[in-house]
Amino acid sequence: MFVHVETRKRPRWHWATLLIVTLCVVCFVGLALTPTPQRLSLLLEWGTVPANVFNAHEALLPQLTDPALLRLFTALFIHVAWLHLLSNLLFLVIFGLPGERALGSLRFLLLFILGGIVANLIGALSLAGVRLPIIGCSGAVSAVVGTYVALFPRAKLGLVLPLGLYMEFVRVPAFLLIGIWVLLQLLFSYVGPSYGAYVWWAHIGGFLFGVVFALFSREQIARRLRG
């Protein structure tokens, strides 16, 4: 699935990653300024609460038309811990900016939203009956990472690292950064979230969705980059 084509000569403004980061930060600040009782109510109202989305004793297909599934989307932009927010946005920017250049802004936004919805859906199904909300865009970021790795498996990404009084630009393999991402997710799993449910299956589902998305999009991506 490796794609290697020349990039466009005409520069284009890429807006999707910036839009996602802005929405997540605005939601985080809004929740941080909200009193705790109201904050908990908002999390339960707009987060993906598996017990409110799916009933394990009823047929699944009719439940897929329930308007409550909108929470699979709104939960993507909700974070209550600054470290959770920072880690998600950091890896979104690292993989999202080069990914958006390859995919185009609209296709990248579609990847983020659909990948996040699928990840939250898998998480809700795996935690049927749980009343803690699934929140955050970790599943969507996993989809972005999955697509990037599927398209550019041997890629190296440039990072600017602070070394004392100087800033050093280095290029590191994408898989090294993915390893750091996995370690951070393990850390969150061990510490345990304060408000929401932690769902490994959502991350795995998001990553696999990203790989499949790349498989079906690679021809369009190659044509776009050549054009």
Side-chain angles (χ1 to χ4, degrees):
M1 292 182 62
F2 181 72
V3 175
H4 180 71
V5 292
E6 293 183 0
T7 57
R8 288 174 174 266
K9 295 181 179 179
R10 293 174 298 172
R12 292 201 172 191
W13 182 57
H14 304 290
W15 48 266
T17 302
L18 177 61
L19 174 63
I20 295 167
V21 170
T22 301
L23 288 175
C24 289
V25 171
V26 168
C27 291
F28 175 80
V29 173
L31 282 173
L33 297 177
T34 303
T36 301
Q38 289 85 346
R39 184 187 311 152
L40 293 175
S41 297
L42 288 172
L43 294 177
L44 293 173
E45 177 65 24
W46 296 107
T48 300
V49 181
N52 296 344
V53 175
F54 294 109
N55 187 333
H57 303 291
E58 296 182 6
L60 175 62
L61 190 58
Q63 297 183 71
L64 293 178
T65 61
D66 192 329
L69 292 182
L70 176 64
R71 276 66 174 179
L72 298 173
F73 167 74
T74 56
L76 299 176
F77 304 98
I78 299 175
H79 299 78
V80 292
W82 67 268
L83 185 58
H84 187 203
L85 172 72
L86 183 61
S87 66
N88 277 343
L89 296 188
L90 175 62
F91 282 88
L92 174 64
V93 170
I94 290 174
F95 289 95
L97 290 178
E100 185 178 353
R101 285 195 294 269
L103 295 169
S105 294
L106 283 176
R107 188 177 284 110
F108 178 82
L109 185 61
L110 183 67
L111 165 66
F112 180 88
I113 292 175
L114 291 183
I117 289 175
V118 168
N120 284 344
L121 177 61
I122 293 173
L125 289 173
S126 68
L127 294 176
V130 173
R131 298 192 176 279
L132 287 175
I134 299 171
I135 56 176
C137 62
S138 298
V141 174
S142 297
V144 172
V145 172
T147 294
Y148 186 89
V149 170
L151 292 174
F152 310 106
R154 294 187 290 273
K156 291 186 177 181
L157 294 169
L159 295 179
V160 178
L161 300 178
L163 298 177
L165 300 177
Y166 302 95
M167 305 297 287
E168 183 72 20
F169 180 82
V170 297
R171 297 187 67 85
V172 298
F175 277 101
L176 175 61
L177 295 175
I178 293 172
I180 296 174
W181 164 254
V182 171
L183 288 176
L184 283 174
Q185 303 315 305
L186 284 172
L187 174 63
F188 288 129
S189 179
Y190 176 77
V191 173
S194 301
Y195 297 97
Y198 190 90
V199 197
W200 261 110
W201 279 109
H203 295 179
I204 296 172
F207 185 88
L208 293 177
F209 177 89
V211 173
V212 174
F213 187 92
L215 175 65
F216 284 96
S217 302
R218 56 180 180 173
E219 294 300 328
Q220 295 91 330
I221 295 170
R223 285 198 301 268
R224 177 184 178 275
L225 293 178
R226 291 191 187 100

